[in-house]
Amino acid sequence: MPIEVRTHATLAETARAFAASRGAHILGGGTVLMRAVNAADPSVATILRPADPVLRQIRTEGREIAIGAGVTMAEIIAHRELGFLAPVARLVGGPQVRTTATIGGNLFAAAPYGDVAGALLALGASVVTGEGRRMPLDDLFRPHAPRAFVATILVAPSRDFHFVKVSRVRPKGVSVMSIAANLPRPGGRLQDPRIVFNGMGARPMRAVAAERALSGQPLDAATIARAASLAAEGLAPEDDAIASAWYRREVAPVHLRRLLEGAA
Amino acid sequence: MAKTPIRFSHNREEKAVFVDEGANLLDVLRRSIGDLTPKYGCGQGTCGACTVLVDGAPQLSCLTLAETVDGRAVDTVAGLSDGARLSALQRAFMDNFAAQCGYCTDGMLMSATALLKHNPRPTREEVVEAISGNLCRCTGYEAIINAILDASQGGARRTG
Ligand SMILES: Cc1cc2nc3c(=O)[nH]c(=O)nc-3n(C[C@H](O)[C@H](O)[C@H](O)COP(=O)(O)OP(=O)(O)OC[C@H]3O[C@@H](n4cnc5c(N)ncnc54)[C@H](O)[C@@H]3O)c2cc1C
Ligand code: FES
Ligand code: FES
């Protein structure tokens, strides 16, 4: 089937074209979308190339940093103020993938891809759509959430951020799972901890039961053991070529325990 | 199918071609330009055999929408040698027996070229990281790593 490629100069034009057709897909770096195109996937009828410069910008806005959806992994790694995200971006694919893979595309890459998306969810990030509507990532990742053209990601840097990626091939290698956690401890007790598993469901998911076990507690051995035992509760891992759902459930507590011990 | 005109620099020479909408850069280089050095291995981003440089950075040409290189510089292995005179990196691959079937070699050479341009004295770990997106199924990686270290400034192969 012939594919149509359309380039639009403004966010509003891209947003309109995206809303008008289900077969229209936004092009980020194309590391996921072009695989579908190469495989002649009939669900891709139109490729939209948003050319608005906002998509390539990184700006500080108060406490938050606004990252354009078209910013690449290589650009995140090179940017001084995004040091907290660099360890995550560095683990996405090999150098050739990081040259083009974007932060916006990572939000929509199917599991077990989406390591950066998981990190952003743990950091409590928000997105601004092409129409200018702001919403928390939690809403974008809700099941059956309407599809959206993301223009910008807003995220506040954190010193309490921890990340681990579990993969079978190093240094590259797709995730069995990755875990991102934001664990602020004012006065020694955890306040609003956020723990996100990527690869344990169709989208990055918060481990709500483990978060509840941590909330208000010191990060001691007993709390860590309790939270780890609840790691996979409410999550919905799937079988794929990397690992089975059963395996993922079995090892999730081990990897969460190690992350929490490292943070303590 | 609609065609889109694009212009880009290919190994420092200006090229103008019409591309099919949705065509990837690998197809355009091989079929329209006739540069057969970038290889088709998977078309899915996993093998790295199609690696080229776009504005100096390594990129998978099979996953690059061709029209995104309009106005940019694309470099391939065809531009590394000067006629029959191989580059130092290519000679190091020969001297170290870093190619067997040779299918991965062009991608390896471009990943190594990108590394050495920004980091003329890489450590062994940095070489491994630089070629982590390139698969070799027959030579084995040791000879390739040694070749890249040999071609780097300082030259002498460091094992470890
Ligand atoms: C060899 C290889 C290894 C990889 N390893 C990893 C890995 O370790 N971890 C990981 O997380 N990912 C990995 N990936 C997947 C992918 O490279 C990344 O997820 C990347 O960040 C996707 O971004 P992109 O810009 O290339 O997305 P694209 O392919 O351009 O887009 C992906 C999807 O998102 C949609 N989209 C893109 N931008 C927007 C936007 N602004 N608004 C709305 N929708 C949008 C597209 O329409 C498409 O459906 C790997 C891929 C390859 C080929
Ligand atoms: S052909 Fe491009 S990565 Fe395999
Ligand atoms: S030389 Fe045969 S795949 Fe590397």
Side-chain angles (χ1 to χ4, degrees):
Chain A
M1 203 171 69
I3 284 185
E4 198 188 340
V5 181
R6 279 194 271 158
T7 306
H8 294 110
T10 65
L11 290 180
E13 287 169 283
T14 304
R16 264 198 304 277
F18 182 70
S21 159
R22 279 210 76 80
H25 296 259
I26 309 283
L27 180 73
T31 59
V32 173
L33 187 59
M34 283 303 287
R35 291 159 79 160
V37 171
N38 290 347
D41 180 338
S43 69
V44 185
T46 310
I47 296 176
L48 301 177
R49 289 182 64 199
D52 195 306
V54 165
L55 267 84
R56 306 304 310 268
Q57 288 169 3
I58 303 171
R59 306 181 310 276
T60 305
E61 290 186 357
R63 278 183 57 249
E64 292 178 316
I65 303 178
I67 309 172
V71 169
T72 65
M73 298 301 140
E75 287 163 347
I76 290 174
I77 293 165
H79 198 273
R80 250 187 314 134
E81 278 159 59
L82 295 179
F84 62 105
L85 274 182
V88 185
R90 234 177 248 123
L91 292 175
V92 173
Q96 305 98 314
V97 168
R98 294 194 291 270
T99 301
T100 51
T102 66
I103 187 169
N106 204 276
L107 299 178
F108 301 96
Y113 293 151
D115 296 315
V116 181
L120 292 168
L121 183 60
L123 286 161
S126 304
V127 297
V128 180
T129 66
E131 293 90 351
R133 201 156 46 86
R134 178 174 175 149
M135 66 171 123
L137 257 192
D138 299 76
D139 288 353
L140 189 72
F141 288 162
R142 258 187 239 304
H144 313 298
R147 44 183 233 137
F149 162 42
V150 171
T152 313
I153 292 114
L154 294 163
V155 60
S158 166
R159 284 206 213 108
D160 305 303
F161 177 67
H162 302 269
F163 179 81
V164 60
K165 175 172 166 174
V166 183
S167 53
R168 289 164 52 173
V169 184
R170 268 177 244 188
K172 198 178 98 108
V174 177
S175 286
V176 171
M177 67 186 63
S178 61
I179 313 175
N182 198 37
L183 304 167
R185 271 183 292 168
R189 285 176 185 275
L190 287 152
Q191 188 184 326
D192 299 325
R194 287 171 74 97
I195 299 189
V196 174
F197 276 89
N198 183 54
M200 293 290 285
R203 288 285 171 90
M205 290 174 90
R206 287 176 66 181
V208 179
E211 285 178 357
R212 227 179 276 131
L214 292 172
S215 193
Q217 305 296 320
L219 203 48
D220 58 19
T223 308
I224 291 174
R226 203 168 329 111
S229 71
L230 297 168
E233 203 174 293
L235 304 186
E238 287 170 28
D239 291 334
D240 61 25
I242 313 293
S244 66
W246 174 86
Y247 176 80
R248 288 191 159 101
R249 276 191 185 284
E250 288 294 310
V251 300
V254 178
H255 293 295
L256 179 58
R257 175 173 55 74
R258 287 183 192 159
L259 179 144
L260 293 172
E261 284 170 355
Chain B
M1 196 184 280
K3 301 261 188 189
T4 309
I6 63 167
R7 283 167 181 279
F8 60 99
S9 142
H10 170 251
N11 296 328
R12 299 170 294 283
E13 224 177 85
E14 282 306 313
K15 295 279 162 70
V17 287
F18 284 96
V19 301
D20 289 333
E21 286 192 281
N24 64 52
L25 177 61
L26 178 61
D27 275 346
V28 169
L29 288 172
R30 292 182 62 90
R31 295 186 194 174
S32 308
I33 308 261
D35 179 353
L36 300 179
T37 57
K39 298 289 184 278
Y40 177 92
C42 63
Q44 294 285 299
T46 24
C47 74
C50 66
T51 303
V52 301
L53 306 189
V54 177
D55 291 341
Q59 204 163 309
L60 298 168
S61 60
C62 74
L63 297 185
T64 301
L65 182 70
E67 16 196 301
T68 62
V69 303
D70 189 34
R72 303 176 72 187
V74 178
D75 290 300
T76 72
V77 169
L80 288 186
S81 57
D82 180 7
R85 246 186 79 81
L86 298 181
S87 70
L89 178 66
Q90 287 171 306
R91 278 199 307 277
F93 266 62
M94 294 230 307
D95 295 344
N96 284 277
F97 301 98
Q100 235 178 80
C101 76
Y103 207 81
C104 71
T105 309
D106 300 86
M108 290 285 182
L109 286 168
M110 293 325 284
S111 289
T113 300
L115 169 73
L116 295 177
K117 200 166 48 148
H118 297 288
N119 182 0
R121 293 173 166 274
T123 63
R124 194 178 176 80
E125 288 66 38
E126 286 165 338
V127 171
V128 170
E129 169 59 33
I131 60 166
S132 64
N134 296 80
L135 298 182
C136 176
R137 294 288 87 157
C138 56
T139 300
Y141 297 99
E142 286 303 310
I144 297 170
I145 295 165
N146 288 335
I148 298 168
L149 286 171
D150 261 3
S152 68
Q153 264 176 36
R157 172 202 310 182
R158 284 148 284 182
T159 42

